[in-house]
Amino acid sequence: MGTSSAFGGQGGGTPLVPSWLGDDGAPPSAPDGAPPDPGQAPDGAPADGAPPAAPTAPPVRPPVPPIADPTRFSAARNNFSRFAGSGGDDRRSLGRAVSHYVGSSSGGARTAAARMGSARGAGSRLLGFLSDAVARGATEALRSLNLDGLAGRPIEEIFLGLADYVCPDGGSIDEGIAREAFIETIADLAGAGITDLDGLTAEQMQTVFELYATNAIEARLCNDIGARTVTLPSDSREAARVQAQLNDFIRRGVADALTTARAAAAALTPDRVLAFVGRVYEQAFGILQIMGDAEAEGA
């Protein structure tokens, strides 16, 4: 299912939010390793025989995240398996799968949003670029990234040229999710009627980000519950229906979150984009849990 086939699923004991997962999903830099002061002896004492200085305090490191419940993905995985096995007919199981994923597997909407890691950073860079393109035009926005050679090219070529800026390929699963979600978004542009970056409107900017956030959440969910442990229908049309229904379900949640944040989106500044993207992800997960509960009850 798109990016989800790349990973067999999170181990149950994996911390809910790994300690290295920052705003853009990048690990922290290594601690400073400055060479010793040339005025000191090898053992740290001053070379002139004076009493050694008081030892420096050890660096403050973040606490080790607690190990999560090793069975926390089971309910989401089992319900998604039932939904997939039904060929997309069992909507109640889809609702339960999504609700369990947000509430039980991820520990709530806020933690689920924090787990987006690299997709938050990529989403903020994408939205920042699009906002600049709307405000100053595509050529100026591309020039600011030293990509003005892409000006005037078809929008798919421009977005492919933006890939290394939006989501650098670092090799981790988290970074792979962000990058593959962006590639899928490029494939979705034509279907959304977005073909000209030069004439990009604020509404189209929101649509592009909506597509990206939807693809990123879908990939995160499928990788977490373990797409390779879910048996999809052998009929390719039924399998495509399962994926389309999941994508549509997630997109409705993302769209509602963006509608709620419309006023903030209109006043975006470069220093507020990352926080805005984080809030949209959190609101989207909260809405998805509510939608999942309603679907599970047959509402």
Side-chain angles (χ1 to χ4, degrees):
M1 295 179 65
T3 59
S4 61
S5 61
F7 187 44
Q10 288 281 355
T14 305
L16 285 176
V17 182
S19 60
W20 51 262
L21 199 58
D23 284 338
D24 60 358
S29 58
D32 291 337
D37 188 329
Q40 289 186 331
D43 62 359
D48 58 4
T56 58
V60 178
R61 302 188 184 280
V64 176
I67 298 300
D69 179 357
T71 64
R72 73 183 190 275
F73 292 110
S74 297
R77 184 178 295 127
N78 292 340
N79 278 287
F80 191 78
S81 292
R82 283 192 284 272
F83 166 66
S86 75
D89 292 331
D90 189 353
R91 298 281 301 184
R92 290 191 176 189
S93 288
L94 171 61
R96 293 189 191 101
V98 174
S99 177
H100 278 297
Y101 175 76
V102 177
S104 304
S105 303
S106 301
R110 178 172 295 183
T111 309
R115 285 177 57 77
M116 294 305 293
S118 294
R120 284 190 298 162
S124 67
R125 287 186 287 274
L126 173 61
L127 190 57
F129 169 79
L130 295 174
S131 180
D132 193 20
V134 170
R136 300 194 299 145
T139 299
E140 290 302 316
L142 289 167
R143 182 175 290 122
S144 70
L145 301 178
N146 295 320
L147 294 173
D148 43 307
L150 292 172
R153 305 297 299 167
I155 194 167
E156 290 85 1
E157 289 187 27
I158 294 174
F159 271 61
L160 283 171
L162 286 167
D164 286 338
Y165 164 72
V166 172
C167 40
D169 189 1
S172 72
I173 291 170
D174 184 62
E175 290 159 330
I177 286 173
R179 192 174 184 89
E180 289 303 317
F182 183 66
I183 298 302
E184 289 189 9
T185 300
I186 297 173
D188 292 337
L189 292 175
I194 300 171
T195 59
D196 181 15
L197 191 61
D198 288 305
L200 192 73
T201 66
E203 290 74 18
Q204 289 176 323
M205 173 184 76
Q206 177 170 312
T207 298
V208 175
F209 177 69
E210 181 181 305
L211 291 169
Y212 177 75
T214 298
N215 289 330
I217 290 174
E218 179 186 354
R220 178 81 268 174
L221 183 154
C222 289
N223 273 271
D224 279 347
I225 67 174
R228 289 194 304 209
T229 66
V230 174
T231 302
L232 291 173
S234 56
D235 186 298
S236 60
R237 289 172 297 181
E238 287 190 1
R241 182 166 176 255
V242 167
Q243 182 171 10
Q245 287 200 45
L246 174 62
N247 185 273
D248 178 70
F249 190 89
I250 293 172
R251 186 170 177 182
R252 285 191 286 131
V254 173
D256 286 351
L258 282 169
T259 298
T260 302
R262 187 179 297 275
L268 273 182
T269 57
D271 59 325
R272 295 178 181 175
V273 173
L274 184 61
F276 171 81
V277 170
R279 286 195 301 273
V280 168
Y281 276 127
E282 182 176 343
Q283 290 171 349
F285 277 115
I287 292 169
L288 286 171
Q289 186 173 10
I290 293 171
M291 288 171 54
D293 289 337
E295 196 78 56
E297 295 170 2

